[in-house]
Amino acid sequence: MILLHPFIHWFPTNDKPSLVRYVPYLTLVVYPFIAPGQFVVRTFKRMNDKADFLMFVIPGILMLCGHMTIGSVFNMWLIMILTSSFVFSFLGFSVSHHFPNNFHDGDHISDKDIDWGLHQIDTSVERNEITDNVFVSLVTFSDHTLHHLFPALDHSLIPFLQDIFLNTCEEFGLDRTSKPFTSIIRGQFKQLVRLTPNNPKRKHRWN
C-alpha cells in the first residue's frame, strides 16, 4: 500500500497525482523498476540483506560458464530482473486486495461488526481459479482470503477449507461470489482513481 506512496497509492483520498487519477494504466510502466529500485534504496540506507545479492548469481554464472560478453550478460540479466519485477508487482497489486469494494485505509468501518475475521474478509475479493494446480495457486496468490484467515497454514492445504468457508459465509449471509481474474485486474485500476471512502453496510444473519 505505501511502497510507492505518495506517487502511486490505493487509499481513497484526493491527494493522488493527476496522472494516476486520469490515466491509471500508465502505472504499469513503473512495475519493472520496483524491485531494482528497492535494491538501490536499501543499498543507500545500508539495509541490505544477504538475499539481495542472489540476483548477481545468474550473471556471475553466465560470465564464468556461458562464454558471453559482459554486455550480453548484462542485457540478459537486466531483462530477467525487469521482467520478474513486473510480474511480481502486477500479481501483487492485482490479485485480491485492490478492488473498489474492498476495505482500504480511509474507508469507514462499521462499529457494529467488530470482528477480526470479518475485517479480513472485507479486505480481499474471491476470484475464479483457472486451475487447481497448487504451484500456480501459490505463485499467483490465489485463495487469498483463506490465506489471511489462516496465515500460518501451508498453502497446499488451504483448498481443503474452501467448501466449509463458503458454506459458513452463506450461513451468515456474507457474499463471497467469485469474480473473473480480468475483473479484479480492472478493479485495481478503478481503485487507483477512487477518491470517496466506502461506507459499507454489511448484511448478515447472526441471529
Side-chain angles (χ1 to χ4, degrees):
M1 289 288 287
I2 63 173
L3 181 65
L4 303 174
H5 190 276
F7 307 106
I8 300 175
H9 69 82
W10 292 264
F11 302 118
T13 56
N14 58 8
D15 62 344
K16 298 176 181 180
S18 298
L19 190 62
V20 173
R21 291 171 56 182
Y22 296 110
V23 198
Y25 289 96
L26 281 181
T27 57
L28 291 171
V29 302
V30 178
Y31 292 1
F33 306 101
I34 291 178
Q38 287 298 301
F39 174 78
V40 172
V41 170
R42 288 194 298 272
T43 300
F44 275 104
K45 292 183 177 181
R46 298 182 180 180
M47 298 174 60
N48 291 103
D49 187 82
K50 292 180 180 178
D52 285 328
F53 298 97
L54 289 175
M55 69 169 68
F56 299 107
V57 172
I58 293 178
I61 294 175
L62 290 175
M63 290 180 63
L64 292 174
C65 307
H67 304 291
M68 301 171 64
T69 64
I70 294 178
S72 298
V73 170
F74 178 78
N75 289 336
M76 184 175 295
W77 173 75
L78 190 62
I79 290 173
M80 288 188 289
I81 294 297
L82 297 181
T83 301
S84 63
S85 177
F86 177 87
V87 172
F88 184 80
S89 300
F90 179 77
L91 289 175
F93 293 146
S94 302
V95 292
S96 179
H97 289 300
H98 299 311
F99 197 74
N101 295 337
N102 292 352
F103 172 82
H104 289 75
D105 190 17
D107 288 329
H108 299 291
I109 302 176
S110 172
D111 56 359
K112 297 181 180 180
D113 299 319
I114 304 177
D115 182 271
W116 179 83
L118 289 176
H119 289 316
Q120 291 296 317
I121 291 174
D122 284 344
T123 62
S124 61
V125 64
E126 300 298 318
R127 79 167 191 250
N128 297 332
E129 301 303 332
I130 58 176
T131 177
D132 293 331
N133 185 279
V134 174
F135 176 76
V136 174
S137 174
L138 176 63
V139 299
T140 59
F141 308 108
S142 64
D143 297 319
H144 212 67
T145 303
L146 281 171
H147 161 69
H148 280 280
L149 289 172
F150 303 96
L153 190 65
D154 188 280
H155 202 80
S156 64
L157 301 176
I158 286 181
F160 294 105
L161 302 176
Q162 191 67 254
D163 288 341
I164 192 170
F165 168 65
L166 294 177
N167 290 337
T168 302
C169 289
E170 182 179 0
E171 178 183 353
F172 290 98
L174 300 174
D175 182 18
R176 300 309 296 170
T177 304
S178 298
K179 296 176 175 57
F181 194 16
T182 52
S183 297
I184 297 177
I185 292 174
R186 290 195 299 270
Q188 187 256 129
F189 296 105
K190 292 179 181 179
Q191 177 60 31
L192 271 175
V193 303
R194 180 166 72 90
L195 307 179
T196 305
N198 285 336
N199 189 10
K201 296 181 180 179
R202 185 186 292 109
K203 297 180 180 180
H204 53 56
R205 298 187 294 270
W206 296 111
N207 300 320

